[in-house]
């Protein structure tokens, strides 16, 4: 099977195994950084149980509704911007299935957002949004794996900041801004790992544990995906780099 088999998912129960790894990632990073998460672990369990039972909207506790909606909205918005950071041959091959998967995720997220007073919809950075020396920073990064890692380093920061805020986790705005700034400087070659603030290195080390999210997704859907395997290897490499200083 390939990652395209995920396109067969249709209802909330089908996406419970999608939701769980992302929610655990949110908790793992937040706990690792010492951010207060309250009973997030309990809400993750409650949310997953609701999804597996096909319960949505008014049948689910508001906090669980918000957690599911934020997680799925973030995943839905992540794919197409991420592809814009990659080579054209890679982007073209995955644009259509990624767009369809995003639509499916938004459709499920809408069911959980329906009873929430307000929830924002995230927008993630395109290459033109991250500029250095007057041009897209990614143009200063050579090699597929390094560009892939750079894209993930920016976008998983934005993913975490969005979902954490929607779930009431206080992430210092100055830490997010500094992590973004120093991450760009590192990948374009303006700063070494040794010159990066320890709190930023720790943050990115935890954020690059998305290799566990990817492996879990692959296992839960029995995909055996070469694409996800490559992604996980790149994330693990970066996690070891940031954490090994």
């Amino acid at each position: 099977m390939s990652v395209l088999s995920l396109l067969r998912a249709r209802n909330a129960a089908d996406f419970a195994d999608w939701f769980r790894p992302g929610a655990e990632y949110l908790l793992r990073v937040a706990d690792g950084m010492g951010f207060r998460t309250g009973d997030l672990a309990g809400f993750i369990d409650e949310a997953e149980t609701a999804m597996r039972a096909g319960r949505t909207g008014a049948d689910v506790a508001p906090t669980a509704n918000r957690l599911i909606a934020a997680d799925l909205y973030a995943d839905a918005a992540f794919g197409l911007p991420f592809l814009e950071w990659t080579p054209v041959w890679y982007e073209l091959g995955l644009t259509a299935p990624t767009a369809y998967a995003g639509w499916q995720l938004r459709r499920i997220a809408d069911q959980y957002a329906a009873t929430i007073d307000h929830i924002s919809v995230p927008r993630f950075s395109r290459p033109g949004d991250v500029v250095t020396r007057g041009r897209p920073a990614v143009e200063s990064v050579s090699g597929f794996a390094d560009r892939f890692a750079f894209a993930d380093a920016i976008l998983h920061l934005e993913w975490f900041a969005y979902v954490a805020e929607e779930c009431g986790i206080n992430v210092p705005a100055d830490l997010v801004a500094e992590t973004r700034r120093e991450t760009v400087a590192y990948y374009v070659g303006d700063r070494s790992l040794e010159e990066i603030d320890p709190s930023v290195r720790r943050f990115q080390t935890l954020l690059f544990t998305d290799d566990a999210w990817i492996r879990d997704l692959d296992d839960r859907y029995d995909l055996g995906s070469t694409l996800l395997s490559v992604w996980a290897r790149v994330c693990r490499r970066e996690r070891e780099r940031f954490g090994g200083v």
Side-chain angles (χ1 to χ4, degrees), residues 23-78:
E24 289 181 342
Y25 174 73
L26 172 70
L27 180 61
R28 181 169 61 248
V29 176
D31 278 348
M33 291 301 295
F35 303 145
R36 296 184 65 179
T37 59
D39 191 27
L40 180 58
F43 288 124
I44 291 173
D45 290 339
E46 183 177 353
E48 181 186 11
T49 298
M51 293 185 76
R52 292 196 185 283
R55 293 189 287 111
T56 61
D59 294 331
V60 182
T63 303
N65 271 330
R66 182 172 293 278
L67 172 60
I68 296 168
D71 182 284
L72 298 187
Y73 278 141
D75 288 351
F78 187 97

Side-chain angles (χ1 to χ4, degrees), residues 10-240:
R10 291 290 183 273
N11 54 43
D14 292 334
F15 283 96
D17 277 325
W18 182 291
F19 161 80
R20 182 77 195 206
E24 289 181 342
Y25 174 73
L26 172 70
L27 180 61
R28 181 169 61 248
V29 176
D31 278 348
M33 291 301 295
F35 303 145
R36 296 184 65 179
T37 59
D39 191 27
L40 180 58
F43 288 124
I44 291 173
D45 290 339
E46 183 177 353
E48 181 186 11
T49 298
M51 293 185 76
R52 292 196 185 283
R55 293 189 287 111
T56 61
D59 294 331
V60 182
T63 303
N65 271 330
R66 182 172 293 278
L67 172 60
I68 296 168
D71 182 284
L72 298 187
Y73 278 141
D75 288 351
F78 187 97
L80 291 179
F82 185 89
L83 289 179
E84 291 187 20
W85 293 73
T86 64
V88 173
W89 59 266
Y90 187 92
E91 179 182 2
L92 291 178
L94 289 173
T95 293
T98 298
Y100 180 75
W103 173 78
Q104 287 279 51
L105 287 164
R106 284 190 299 274
R107 184 176 61 82
I108 301 299
D110 286 345
Q111 297 174 27
Y112 290 94
T115 60
I116 298 173
D117 290 339
H118 173 75
I119 185 169
S120 64
V121 176
R123 178 191 179 278
F124 295 125
S125 293
R126 265 70 176 179
D129 298 323
V130 183
V131 177
T132 185
R133 304 184 191 95
R135 60 175 185 164
V138 72
E139 294 180 6
S140 300
V141 182
S142 60
F144 175 79
D146 285 344
R147 285 191 171 205
F148 201 96
F150 183 29
D152 195 44
I154 295 296
L155 298 189
H156 66 199
L157 172 65
E158 296 177 349
W159 185 101
F160 177 82
Y162 161 77
V163 180
E165 180 178 5
E166 287 295 341
C167 294
I169 299 171
N170 182 27
V171 181
D174 56 348
L175 174 62
V176 174
E178 185 63 15
T179 299
R180 182 184 179 94
R181 187 180 70 83
E182 294 198 26
T183 295
V184 172
Y186 167 66
Y187 279 101
V188 302
D190 288 346
R191 182 169 297 203
S192 69
L193 278 175
E194 291 76 9
E195 295 172 315
I196 294 178
D197 185 272
S199 62
V200 170
R201 291 201 310 268
R202 179 177 177 79
F203 201 10
Q204 280 292 10
T205 299
L206 288 162
L207 289 168
F208 271 115
T209 64
D210 48 4
D211 67 320
W213 184 98
I214 295 160
R215 288 195 307 272
D216 197 2
L217 184 69
D218 193 53
D219 291 343
R220 284 170 177 264
Y221 287 95
D222 193 25
L223 299 174
S225 169
T226 300
L227 171 64
L228 292 181
S229 178
V230 170
W231 193 345
R233 285 200 302 272
V234 171
C235 291
R236 184 174 64 250
R237 182 196 71 176
E238 297 306 289
R239 172 168 51 80
E240 291 171 351

